[in-house]
Amino acid sequence: MTDALKRLSDEGVAIWLDDLSRKRITSGNLSELIDQQHVVGVTTNPSIFQKAISHGDGYEQQLTDLATRKVTVDEAIRMITTADVRDAADILRPVFDTTDGQDGRVSIEVDPRLAHHTEATVAEAKQLAWLVDRPNTLIKIPATKAGLPAITEVIGKGISVNVTLIFSLERYREVMDAYLAGLEKAKAAGLDLSKIHSVASFFVSRVDTEIDKRLDAIGTDEAKALKGKAALANARLAYQAYEEVFGSDRWAALDKAHANKQRPLWASTGVKDPAYKDTLYVDDLVAPGTVNTMPEATLDATADHGQITGNTIAGTYEQARAELDGIAKLGISYDDVVQLLEDEGVEKFEASWIDLLNSTEAELKRLAPSEG
């Protein structure tokens, strides 16, 4: 075990765990990760809950109670998932208090079937914030076109948000704009901006997966030389955009009102290609004011052999731009790739949610008391 996680934390990177289950909460594992692995936050998504509830322990009693009450499957899922998020938020509350609300956060996602419906997303975000009822919750809203005005509206109501499924630099700038617009609304409404927090989840590994596949299809030496470059280049240019937006006059006015920057969060940091080092998207995306949410395997790999050598984003923008330009010159459309990834991301979360609905419905039927 190295001190790589401590070094990462000391560099200004908040380490969050990209996983949650009731067993992780009740066994003391989450508390252990906070105490020993520098974990200061938790992210969830529909796929994580689907896996936890379908295969995990600890849900039988609550499912039995819900079946006895004859609740709908949608209500059952919300009762189960918000209970886990509430308990995780309580475990992380000391971190929340000592970091003045910046970390110690747990994210919960709006129903992914609402990804293209603005008003329904806003209504669901308000309901989730009310249901969990913890100040250290982040409501996850996808960065679809319909999600952008929802982000503004929800932030404007003083609800903290984790914007998810960001793949493109253009969309990331729109997300930051939506956040600032929300803060301006909140300020006009007289809300305390210091209490409103947000992260922008910029997805990493999937960009390499898709672009590498296209580079392999081209098959030239030039194409092969660019494999494994796109995801880091994209994320590093996102950090450049973050520096620009939060160095602007528009931000300065909000900063005076004690607003918090919307931190970039590196998501999807588990390496998909075994040819790459398993800590690639941690070691090479170190910069202050960021969050890296890791699956446990990546967290363990970083603890064991991560190479944290200081800021690995500063000074990389020219090279990153050249690498993306090189990929474009080979005929690979950046716009096509990022739109495909966003569409697939929404579809995957929706499919996981439907799997969760189906498996939960089967459990409710199995556990329902016999009539009579």
Side-chain angles (χ1 to χ4, degrees):
M1 191 70 72
T2 70
D3 278 334
L5 292 172
K6 182 180 187 307
R7 288 200 300 277
L8 186 63
S9 184
D10 289 344
E11 287 292 338
V13 179
I15 300 165
W16 290 9
L17 177 71
D18 194 24
D19 189 55
L20 186 63
S21 67
R22 190 153 299 175
K23 191 172 183 183
R24 196 182 282 286
I25 292 164
T26 57
S27 67
N29 172 262
L30 179 57
S31 295
E32 200 174 275
L33 292 173
I34 295 164
D35 294 340
Q36 299 175 16
Q37 301 279 62
H38 304 277
V39 167
V40 293
V42 170
T43 48
T44 68
N45 61 46
S47 301
I48 285 168
F49 276 129
Q50 191 270 332
K51 184 179 167 193
I53 296 167
S54 301
H55 308 111
D57 302 327
Y59 296 100
E60 184 100 354
Q61 185 58 58
Q62 190 178 11
L63 279 163
T64 301
D65 291 345
L66 292 166
T68 304
R69 287 175 50 214
K70 299 181 180 177
V71 303
T72 65
V73 65
D74 286 279
E75 185 184 351
I77 286 168
R78 276 311 180 206
M79 290 296 145
I80 292 164
T81 57
T82 54
D84 280 358
V85 168
R86 190 180 305 115
D87 288 345
D90 287 344
I91 292 168
L92 279 153
R93 184 60 190 261
V95 177
F96 175 81
D97 291 337
T98 56
T99 61
D100 202 21
Q102 180 155 266
D103 288 308
R105 298 242 167 209
V106 186
S107 298
I108 185 168
E109 189 139 359
V110 297
D111 185 331
R113 294 171 297 177
L114 307 178
H116 302 296
H117 304 281
T118 303
E119 288 177 10
T121 294
V122 173
E124 169 99 340
K126 286 158 60 181
Q127 172 76 355
L128 283 174
W130 177 82
L131 264 177
V132 177
D133 193 27
R134 294 294 184 272
N136 49 331
T137 313
L138 289 171
I139 307 302
K140 287 181 87 172
I141 297 176
T144 55
K145 277 291 184 187
L148 295 170
I151 293 157
T152 297
E153 191 68 22
V154 172
I155 290 289
K157 293 182 184 304
I159 297 170
S160 294
V161 172
N162 174 347
V163 184
T164 188
L165 290 175
I166 308 170
F167 295 95
S168 87
L169 295 166
E170 181 185 0
R171 183 57 54 84
Y172 178 43
R173 286 185 180 273
E174 291 174 336
V175 165
M176 289 188 283
D177 180 70
Y179 175 61
L180 297 187
L183 288 176
E184 286 158 356
K185 272 188 111 162
K187 185 181 174 189
L191 299 183
D192 180 356
L193 300 194
S194 72
K195 303 290 186 206
I196 305 171
H197 287 259
S198 184
V199 292
S201 294
F202 199 88
F203 278 54
V204 186
S205 65
R206 294 185 198 180
V207 175
D208 271 343
T209 302
E210 182 59 33
I211 288 183
D212 283 0
K213 186 170 72 179
R214 298 183 187 208
L215 290 168
D216 279 336
I218 293 166
T220 62
D221 288 345
E222 192 181 5
K224 286 174 188 167
L226 285 166
K227 282 188 68 179
K229 307 282 190 191
L232 288 176
N234 200 39
R236 286 165 169 173
L237 292 173
Y239 192 78
Q240 181 184 36
Y242 159 78
E243 288 183 315
E244 287 172 8
V245 169
F246 289 98
S248 67
D249 291 343
R250 184 183 182 191
W251 169 249
L254 290 162
D255 189 38
K256 278 182 191 162
H258 309 292
N260 298 290
K261 291 178 180 176
Q262 182 187 54
R263 289 182 293 170
L265 178 151
W266 310 127
S268 181
T269 54
V271 174
K272 308 284 195 289
D273 189 333
Y276 305 149
K277 64 177 179 176
D278 55 2
T279 58
L280 177 67
Y281 305 127
V282 179
D283 297 351
D284 290 24
L285 288 176
V286 178
T290 59
V291 180
N292 195 311
T293 188
M294 309 177 205
E296 192 166 19
T298 305
L299 184 75
D300 290 344
T302 303
D304 183 63
H305 53 263
Q307 297 175 324
I308 309 303
T309 57
N311 189 325
T312 47
I313 292 182
T316 64
Y317 302 147
E318 201 173 317
Q319 179 69 26
R321 176 54 60 198
E323 285 163 352
L324 289 189
D325 287 347
I327 289 163
K329 280 174 188 163
L330 292 172
I332 296 171
S333 166
Y334 176 86
D335 290 344
D336 179 62
V337 167
V338 293
Q339 189 58 56
L340 174 73
L341 291 172
E342 181 188 303
D343 293 343
E344 283 183 351
V346 172
E347 284 165 15
K348 281 176 184 171
F349 281 170
E350 193 171 324
S352 293
W353 195 256
I354 290 165
D355 284 348
L356 177 55
L357 284 167
N358 292 337
S359 57
T360 304
E361 188 169 35
E363 282 296 283
L364 290 171
K365 281 179 181 167
R366 181 178 73 82
L367 297 165
S370 55
E371 295 295 328

